[in-house]
Amino acid sequence: MIHKCLFPAAGYGTRFLPATKAMPKEMLPIVNKPLIQYGVEEALEAGCHTMAIVTGRGKRSIEDHFDTSYELEHQIKGTDKESYLKEIRSLIQTCTFSYTRQNEMKGLGHAILTGETLIGQEAFAVILADDLCANMGGKGVLSQMVGLYKKYCCSIVAIEEVDMSDVDKYGIIEGEEIEKGVYKISNMTEKPSREEAKSNLAVIGRYILTPDIFNILRVTKPGKKGEIQITDALLEQAKAGRVLAYKFEGKRYDCGNINGFVRATNDFYEAYHR
Ligand code: G1P
């Protein structure tokens, strides 16, 4: 039902400098796997086979990662190290990866609009790879959202409750709870101050968007920080129809900052590698 997943991956990752000086932040590993690979695995589990990646300068290693390395294959063929490549080989065989470049950094909304050429006129998912989501043993977050999309056929954002001291880091929603954990959005604000925020329900990096979002984004004026915000476009969509917010099951790690990154590393090590 949702076949394509868009990955905005053009950002600089300045919070991880110097690590991200010559390496994309999406390639930072949690234990032994780059962040973006976790995202691709989550998308595939949710039924998406086409990965549409919006890149920028200095992001070539993402393309190389999702491609066969013949030299490496040749080197390790028949050795016990071959098992390390099992997962990535299977992703390369099962999924299609397409790329387009965002040549100006004009915000998340602009990045998503740049991906229109890879998506076309169908509903699609968006994963921000530095929000790493895990639902150990259960359904992935995007998969949960696809289930909800089947019922409501409208744009959906994933949300979680955050401390009031952190509301200025997120898109914050207001709305009416129409079923357990599902809200019909009446208002959305990008990174409000603590005083401005009407709730602590924060959007995290998982979206399902209906394709009319592209026409809305085309006319969305720069908002917070002078950037074109997906939050502003979604508010327009919510006013014209229906946009839902979904309190997902599982845990989300903000791997765009060092504390979240270290927490994810520890938890994933404990869960999968010890
Ligand atoms: C973006 C969005 C914001 C959302 C956040 C989730 O912000 O603009 O609405 O809450 O992702 O991670 P960024 O973290 O890119 O500043």
Side-chain angles (χ1 to χ4, degrees), residues 1-16:
M1 230 198 175
I2 302 284
H3 306 288
K4 297 182 179 175
C5 185
L6 185 81
F7 293 81
Y12 295 125
T14 44
R15 275 178 288 179
F16 271 92

Side-chain angles (χ1 to χ4, degrees), residues 56-75:
R57 279 180 298 279
K59 301 278 185 169
R60 282 286 292 277
S61 60
I62 297 178
E63 293 176 45
D64 290 338
H65 185 72
F66 295 111
D67 193 3
T68 304
S69 164
Y70 288 102
E71 282 158 47
L72 187 63
E73 294 288 340
H74 178 74
Q75 279 288 327

Side-chain angles (χ1 to χ4, degrees), residues 6-260:
L6 185 81
F7 293 81
Y12 295 125
T14 44
R15 275 178 288 179
F16 271 92
L17 283 170
T20 47
K21 185 163 175 277
M23 182 177 87
K25 63 174 172 152
E26 296 76 15
M27 289 301 290
L28 288 170
I30 297 298
V31 192
N32 61 346
K33 206 188 279 182
L35 278 168
I36 193 158
Q37 188 177 332
Y38 288 100
V40 167
E41 288 172 358
E42 186 184 329
L44 182 60
E45 188 226 346
C48 302
H49 286 76
T50 300
M51 309 299 160
I53 307 184
V54 179
T55 63
R57 279 180 298 279
K59 301 278 185 169
R60 282 286 292 277
S61 60
I62 297 178
E63 293 176 45
D64 290 338
H65 185 72
F66 295 111
D67 193 3
T68 304
S69 164
Y70 288 102
E71 282 158 47
L72 187 63
E73 294 288 340
H74 178 74
Q75 279 288 327
I76 69 164
K77 200 171 169 48
T79 74
D80 51 6
K81 295 210 176 90
E82 229 179 330
S83 63
Y84 296 140
L85 288 183
K86 207 169 140 243
E87 286 175 332
I88 185 72
R89 272 182 184 163
S90 130
L91 287 182
I92 293 168
Q93 275 161 14
T94 323
C95 308
T96 303
F97 296 87
S98 54
Y99 301 86
T100 190
R101 280 198 185 206
Q102 187 186 6
N103 49 23
E104 283 175 295
M105 296 298 130
K106 292 203 284 193
L108 181 56
H110 180 254
I112 291 173
L113 183 56
T114 303
E116 181 184 18
T117 179
L118 305 175
I119 300 291
Q121 280 304 305
E122 60 184 280
F124 61 103
V126 176
I127 287 185
L128 307 185
D130 49 13
D131 272 341
L132 177 58
C133 290
N135 189 20
M136 307 278 180
K139 264 190 182 179
V141 174
L142 195 60
S143 182
Q144 296 168 37
M145 292 169 74
V146 168
L148 200 62
Y149 177 79
K150 284 183 183 152
K151 182 166 173 192
Y152 289 100
C153 290
C154 66
S155 290
I156 304 169
V157 300
I159 50 165
E160 69 176 10
E161 290 187 35
V162 297
D163 283 348
M164 280 312 283
S165 56
D166 284 331
V167 289
D168 61 352
K169 298 190 180 79
Y170 299 96
I172 298 293
I173 71 115
E174 288 163 61
E176 177 204 346
E177 194 167 13
I178 55 168
E179 65 173 91
K180 194 173 178 297
V182 179
Y183 298 77
K184 182 174 183 291
I185 293 178
S186 56
N187 200 7
M188 277 178 101
T189 318
E190 179 67 8
K191 304 194 172 91
S193 68
R194 192 185 176 133
E195 293 70 37
E196 286 161 347
K198 299 281 189 323
S199 85
N200 67 340
L201 298 175
V203 179
I204 64 118
R206 299 289 180 279
Y207 305 79
I208 288 180
L209 301 173
T210 53
D212 52 313
I213 200 73
F214 293 127
N215 278 340
I216 302 175
L217 279 168
R218 253 185 280 285
V219 294
T220 300
K221 302 249 160 26
K224 200 87 189 187
K225 292 200 277 177
E227 295 178 343
I228 296 169
Q229 300 292 349
I230 187 66
T231 303
D232 297 340
L234 280 165
L235 177 58
E236 288 310 310
Q237 211 181 30
K239 282 182 193 161
R242 181 171 59 191
V243 175
L244 298 179
Y246 168 62
K247 240 188 210 177
F248 61 94
E249 281 167 32
K251 190 165 175 185
R252 165 246 176 196
Y253 300 87
D254 177 6
C255 294
N257 83 54
I258 288 179
N259 287 337

Side-chain angles (χ1 to χ4, degrees), residues 255-269:
C255 294
N257 83 54
I258 288 179
N259 287 337
F261 186 87
V262 171
R263 234 172 271 139
T265 303
N266 288 333
D267 286 3
F268 276 65
Y269 176 71

